[in-house]
């Protein structure tokens, strides 16, 4: 298992207020599987997570959005938390970055509240997804086919409903990345 993603490059897009475990668990699992993973953010330095009811600890930013291209990566992971996706969904560069992965038929993973970013980019429309229960109506109103499931996979789109599902999310994400580009992704 240690090398099943050898040679793969993964971006985790996040900013301040990401749910601590939703960035750290996939980061660890992807690296254990042999992938090179960059934490990408709006600015360099560090971003601070949110853990339960208070600020968590900082995570170093490997690259800024200005320093990367979706062409550099095989897949994209979007951690949730309430603050992080809410800040990112008003940033045109972040939305374009996310959309570029989708248009290139690459794997996109979104956890908890991160489907807000899928809503903002239009990716969710017609897709089977799950999310944190409080944004279920948002997903449905945006045309998503919301499911109350631990993890939902729809043609390279991997979604998870909450931090308690991160092991299952990471396993499905690794499986989808191993499969590669989803050339035959159908329109929703």
């Amino acid at each position: 298992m240690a090398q099943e993603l050898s040679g793969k490059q993964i971006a985790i897009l996040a900013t301040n207020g990401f749910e601590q475990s939703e960035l750290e668990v996939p980061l660890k699992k992807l690296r254990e599987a042999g992938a090179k993973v960059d934490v990408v953010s709006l600015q360099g330095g560090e971003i601070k997570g949110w853990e339960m009811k208070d600020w968590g600890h900082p995570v170093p930013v490997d690259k800024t959005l200005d320093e990367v291209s979706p062409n550099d990566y095989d897949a994209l992971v979007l951690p949730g938390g309430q603050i992080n996706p809410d800040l990112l969904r008003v940033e045109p560069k972040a939305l374009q970055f996310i959309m570029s992965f989708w248009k290139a038929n690459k794997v996109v993973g979104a956890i908890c509240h991160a489907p807000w970013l899928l809503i903002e980019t239009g990716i969710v429309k017609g897709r089977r997804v799950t999310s944190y229960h409080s944004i279920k109506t948002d997903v449905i109103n945006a045309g998503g086919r919301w499911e109350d499931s631990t993890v939902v996979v729809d043609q390279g789109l991997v979604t998870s409903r909450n931090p308690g599902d991160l092991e299952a999310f990471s396993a499905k994400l690794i499986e989808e990345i191993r499969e590669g580009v989803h050339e035959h992704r159908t329109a929703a």
Side-chain angles (χ1 to χ4, degrees):
M1 173 171 153
Q3 296 307 309
E4 62 185 316
L5 294 184
S6 181
K8 300 290 186 183
Q9 303 265 115
I10 316 300
I12 297 178
L13 177 62
T15 192
N16 290 311
F18 63 88
E19 184 66 37
Q20 200 79 43
S21 62
E22 293 176 20
L23 186 148
E24 291 180 338
V25 172
L27 175 66
K28 178 179 183 253
K29 295 294 183 186
L30 289 164
R31 285 182 174 162
E32 286 174 354
K36 181 184 181 309
V37 186
D38 287 332
V39 174
V40 177
S41 193
L42 303 170
Q43 298 175 358
E46 296 178 330
I47 52 176
K48 198 163 197 176
W50 187 262
E51 196 158 16
M52 307 299 268
K53 296 179 186 237
D54 203 353
W55 289 103
H57 56 274
V59 169
V61 171
D62 297 304
K63 297 189 177 181
T64 66
L65 269 174
D66 291 331
E67 298 171 320
V68 298
S69 163
N71 297 331
D72 300 335
Y73 300 100
D74 298 291
L76 175 65
V77 179
L78 303 168
Q82 291 177 308
I83 301 167
N84 169 61
D86 200 39
L87 293 174
L88 288 174
R89 69 182 175 163
V90 297
E91 292 292 336
K93 281 184 189 177
L95 298 176
Q96 182 56 46
F97 189 67
I98 296 164
M99 237 0 250
S100 294
F101 278 86
W102 189 250
K103 286 180 179 176
N105 297 318
K106 295 180 180 181
V107 174
V108 175
I111 309 165
C112 195
H113 285 79
W116 269 338
L117 295 165
L118 304 177
I119 290 167
E120 202 64 40
T121 56
I123 293 170
V124 78
K125 187 174 184 177
R127 297 276 166 219
R128 293 175 42 246
V129 296
T130 193
S131 67
Y132 193 69
H133 63 87
S134 68
I135 68 167
K136 171 185 174 181
T137 302
D138 298 346
V139 170
I140 292 168
N141 286 342
R145 294 174 23 223
W146 192 86
E147 295 181 18
D148 186 15
S149 300
T150 302
V151 177
V152 173
V153 179
D154 188 338
Q155 298 182 343
L157 181 63
V158 183
T159 53
S160 177
R161 63 182 170 201
N162 64 49
D165 303 331
L166 293 175
E167 295 288 328
F169 171 79
S170 297
K172 279 296 187 187
L173 188 63
I174 289 167
E175 180 182 318
E176 290 294 301
I177 294 168
R178 205 174 49 233
E179 288 177 11
V181 173
H182 286 67
E183 294 285 352
H184 303 291
R185 183 179 284 159
T186 57

